Amino acid sequence: MLDLFGQSDEARIGEIAAGYAANRTEAGTDSERRFRDLLQALPVAIYTTDAEGCITFFNRACIDFAGRTPKIGEMWCVTWKLYMPDGTALPHAECPMAIALKQNRPVRDVEAVAERPDGSRICFMPYPTPLRDERGRLVGAVNMLVDITARKQAEQRMMLLTSEVDHRSNNLLAVAQAMLRLTKADTAEEFQTVFAGRLSALANVQRLFSASRWTGANLKTIVEEELRPYASRDGERITIVGDDVRLPPTLAQSIAVALHELATNAAKYGALSGPSGRLEISWETNGAEPLVLHWSESGGPRVNEAPTRKGFGIGAVDGIIRTLRGTITRQWRPEGLVCELSFPEGVA
């Protein structure tokens, strides 16, 4: 109904139905029939009661709404069970229709939850309106029940999305601040280049998150994106081996940063610094074991010993592994660096 009518229109329809109900007895049988046909044709649940709250009429939409066929003479409401929006049980004798009759006034701007006999629930807004005779005496009431379940679900999804965006934004800002604080360079130009590269790695994985509605990213895509600038035209310089694995956001972002630092170091000092160098990256996981990532360089400048200076690249990788309760091993072989990163199962 919210797709057909705005809230003010819903209230207006309720008032029109109330007017028809209040005057129907004055126009005789034809008017009564036209009135009932009108209410039956409306795609929204509408019913009437007498002054004591006994149901005197309900349209076909009430049956679909309540998941049951109400009975003439039942009290207060066509629904089976009622609840407040917070889940608290709402007795029928305290429902909006009962309040409207007991206090002889329309009830607006309230929400409730109806439970059907099959256990399904529906969020709705009622519009109970007292009916009075020509002397102003209360003779009954008419109520319209507007399904707002889709709207409430959309609101909940929006709240969850907002919360997720807030969390991811704070996380991304923290990572960017850490990179800014730890990035070292001899000149402003070098600093700008290094920092921009690290931000680019974060931006790439954020785009993957956006495409997946923030559910994660595929490992193979992350690897290909990070190593694309270093690949040769013949495709032989870099070898990627491994089945595609879906990574949760935190792990995906961390691996993207780690791969960026490994690739940057390889381009400066290792296998990717010359045309003859080769890089092989692979991973293993069967869904039950930890994710193990292998990084193997060869054909680059000969490595005589492990570097004595621990730059941000090494520190960043170590910090990521430590944060995710993983492990890392490095072997500085003469032909190049061999590195193994292991991430525990279930990292979110």
Side-chain angles (χ1 to χ4, degrees):
M1 277 302 298
L2 289 178
D3 292 334
L4 300 175
F5 308 107
Q7 181 172 332
S8 60
D9 292 321
E10 293 163 355
R12 190 176 302 117
I13 290 175
E15 300 297 342
I16 292 173
Y20 270 98
N23 296 314
R24 70 186 188 277
T25 57
E26 298 182 2
T29 304
D30 289 343
S31 180
E32 172 76 10
R33 185 174 61 254
R34 286 195 298 270
F35 164 72
R36 289 177 177 269
D37 290 344
L38 169 66
L39 296 188
Q40 290 289 8
L42 291 176
V44 62
I46 295 178
Y47 69 97
T48 61
T49 71
D50 60 20
E52 284 70 42
C54 296
I55 295 175
T56 57
F57 168 83
F58 59 87
N59 65 357
R60 284 183 291 269
C62 283
I63 300 175
D64 296 333
F65 181 93
R68 62 191 282 268
T69 301
K71 295 180 180 179
I72 299 299
E74 286 183 337
M75 294 294 293
W76 306 121
C77 194
V78 296
T79 56
W80 187 52
K81 292 182 179 180
L82 286 174
Y83 298 89
M84 300 290 288
D86 63 3
T88 304
L90 176 62
H92 281 87
E94 300 175 11
C95 71
M97 182 60 131
I99 293 175
L101 284 168
K102 292 176 181 180
Q103 299 182 8
N104 195 9
R105 65 175 180 87
V107 175
R108 299 290 186 268
D109 300 322
V110 298
E111 298 179 4
V113 178
E115 182 176 317
R116 299 179 172 117
D118 64 3
S120 62
R121 294 190 175 189
I122 181 171
C123 300
F124 70 98
M125 292 187 72
Y127 292 87
T129 303
L131 304 175
R132 303 178 182 88
D133 62 15
E134 66 279 1
R135 297 182 180 180
R137 293 177 300 186
L138 180 68
V139 295
V142 60
N143 198 3
M144 179 172 63
L145 310 178
V146 179
D147 183 358
I148 61 170
T149 304
R151 190 191 80 188
K152 300 300 288 187
Q153 291 174 342
E155 290 175 354
Q156 185 177 23
R157 289 194 296 270
M158 183 60 68
M159 290 179 62
L160 291 174
L161 179 60
T162 301
S163 177
E164 180 67 15
V165 169
D166 182 62
H167 169 72
R168 297 299 170 191
S169 298
N170 289 335
N171 176 266
L172 185 60
L173 181 58
V175 173
Q177 288 175 330
M179 291 194 303
L180 178 63
R181 184 177 64 254
L182 297 174
T183 297
K184 308 297 182 183
D186 295 329
T187 65
E189 290 76 12
E190 182 183 357
F191 177 90
Q192 181 178 1
T193 300
V194 173
F195 189 63
R198 289 164 181 166
L199 284 181
S200 178
L202 287 178
N204 287 338
V205 76
Q206 299 305 311
R207 283 194 290 270
L208 297 178
F209 292 161
S210 178
S212 69
R213 295 180 182 268
W214 295 88
T215 59
N218 292 329
L219 176 57
K220 191 171 185 179
T221 303
I222 294 174
V223 174
E224 291 173 345
E225 288 295 321
E226 289 301 327
L227 298 179
R228 190 183 307 279
Y230 310 103
S232 59
R233 293 185 177 180
D234 58 14
E236 296 183 356
R237 189 182 194 191
I238 298 176
T239 303
I240 301 173
V241 180
D243 297 331
D244 214 352
V245 179
R246 189 72 165 179
L247 302 178
T250 299
L251 181 57
Q253 180 173 277
S254 300
I255 287 181
V257 174
L259 289 175
H260 174 76
E261 296 306 325
L262 288 170
T264 299
N265 288 338
K268 286 184 176 181
Y269 314 111
L272 300 181
S273 64
S276 61
R278 296 291 183 269
L279 170 64
E280 178 176 323
I281 181 168
S282 61
W283 55 90
E284 302 170 0
T285 181
N286 58 14
E289 300 296 330
L291 172 63
V292 180
L293 200 66
H294 302 276
W295 176 282
S296 179
E297 299 180 30
S298 61
R302 184 177 179 81
V303 179
N304 297 317
E305 60 181 359
T308 57
R309 178 176 176 269
K310 187 176 181 180
F312 174 69
I314 294 178
V317 175
D318 290 350
I320 290 169
I321 302 303
R322 185 166 54 252
T323 300
L324 299 179
R325 306 185 307 280
T327 59
I328 181 170
T329 59
R330 293 185 182 88
Q331 299 180 42
W332 301 94
R333 298 177 180 177
E335 61 272 19
L337 171 66
V338 175
C339 186
E340 182 177 282
L341 296 80
S342 177
F343 300 90
E345 178 191 5
V347 175

